[in-house]
Amino acid sequence: MYDVFTTRYAFACPERGEARVTLSAFRRIEQLPGAAHPAVYGVDFDCGCGDRHPGLVSHDELDWAPLGLGEGMFLNLMTAKLDPLEDELADLAARRIQAGEWPWSFFCYPEEQPRPIFPSSFFLLAPAGDRSRVGIAVRCPVCGSVSVNLVSAEHVDVPFHNDPEIGVVEHVFQADADRIVESFAGELYSARFDARRTSL
Ligand SMILES: [Zn+2]
Ligand SMILES: [Zn+2]
């Protein structure tokens, strides 16, 4: 389902049979109620056929597969503990995290600081600017507030690629998801971004 070498997820496409898309082609990521272990996420993604399709992705595939971690593995970003290590990629990922590098990060505007996250913390994504950039709405795992950042596609797609500077919308978003969906696009195209350094 996730291919670590191409950093792409495979989904069904009604037009072409199969779609292989990067994380930055996702448009919405939402944890489905019910199955908590393992959690399942419903996603919408922009397909190469030109349409947007729904797909399902497990928590493992969303957060751990890009790091080379197999199903059922647990890696705590705060303590960098991983047991057992499955393969070299997972080993390398764990070493980098222990050395203070983070696979994904965003800038929490209410807290005025960068925070490490996993892809499951992204919940809205949209192409922005010249389309080489991606607007992301992220729910902060520490304070629970929502921030909108402007980043490169690599910042989203490639684990451990963190933009040295990211755009931050200077706006405190309402916590309620429907209101954020409404205001996300408006804020994204308002160009009221301010650059912040991301070194954690
Ligand atoms: Zn398609
Ligand atoms: Zn925060």
Side-chain angles (χ1 to χ4, degrees):
M1 163 108 198
Y2 180 84
D3 180 346
V4 290
F5 299 106
T6 60
T7 69
R8 279 169 191 270
Y9 291 84
F11 291 107
C13 164
E15 193 70 31
R16 300 178 173 180
E18 195 192 49
R20 305 186 64 81
V21 298
T22 55
L23 188 57
S24 60
F26 287 22
R27 292 294 165 254
R28 186 172 179 153
I29 301 175
E30 190 173 16
Q31 187 175 348
L32 299 180
H37 297 290
V40 175
Y41 291 77
V43 306
D44 294 328
F45 64 94
D46 278 351
C47 182
C49 76
D51 273 343
R52 185 168 298 177
H53 311 305
L56 293 176
V57 59
S58 74
H59 184 229
D60 288 335
E61 284 163 331
L62 194 55
D63 285 357
W64 311 126
L67 300 175
L69 302 169
E71 213 161 290
M73 310 278 285
F74 176 72
L75 174 67
N76 185 328
L77 269 189
M78 297 303 170
T79 61
K81 278 194 182 138
L82 171 69
D83 193 32
L85 291 171
E86 184 163 75
D87 55 28
E88 269 177 59
L89 183 58
D91 191 19
L92 182 63
R95 281 170 205 273
R96 294 181 75 168
I97 291 165
Q98 278 159 349
E101 286 184 70
W102 303 97
W104 293 276
S105 63
F106 84 112
F107 196 93
C108 179
Y109 174 63
E111 293 188 286
E112 268 296 329
Q113 64 172 297
R115 291 284 191 193
I117 46 161
F118 282 113
S120 56
S121 293
F122 298 125
F123 71 98
L124 293 172
L125 302 94
D130 56 6
R131 294 187 80 87
S132 66
R133 306 252 271 166
V134 185
I136 53 174
V138 180
R139 193 179 299 283
C140 178
V142 177
C143 73
S145 68
V146 171
S147 294
V148 171
N149 290 177
L150 190 64
V151 299
S152 69
E154 291 75 25
H155 184 92
V156 174
D157 293 333
V158 183
F160 299 105
H161 175 103
N162 289 287
D163 292 350
E165 254 187 19
I166 55 184
V168 177
V169 171
E170 297 185 297
H171 178 79
V172 177
F173 288 82
Q174 300 295 323
D176 119 56
D178 289 339
R179 302 264 291 278
I180 295 159
V181 173
E182 270 174 35
S183 53
F184 178 59
E187 288 295 334
L188 204 54
Y189 300 113
S190 71
R192 290 191 292 134
F193 286 95
D194 207 48
R196 295 288 200 283
R197 310 264 334 149
T198 51
S199 32
L200 291 161

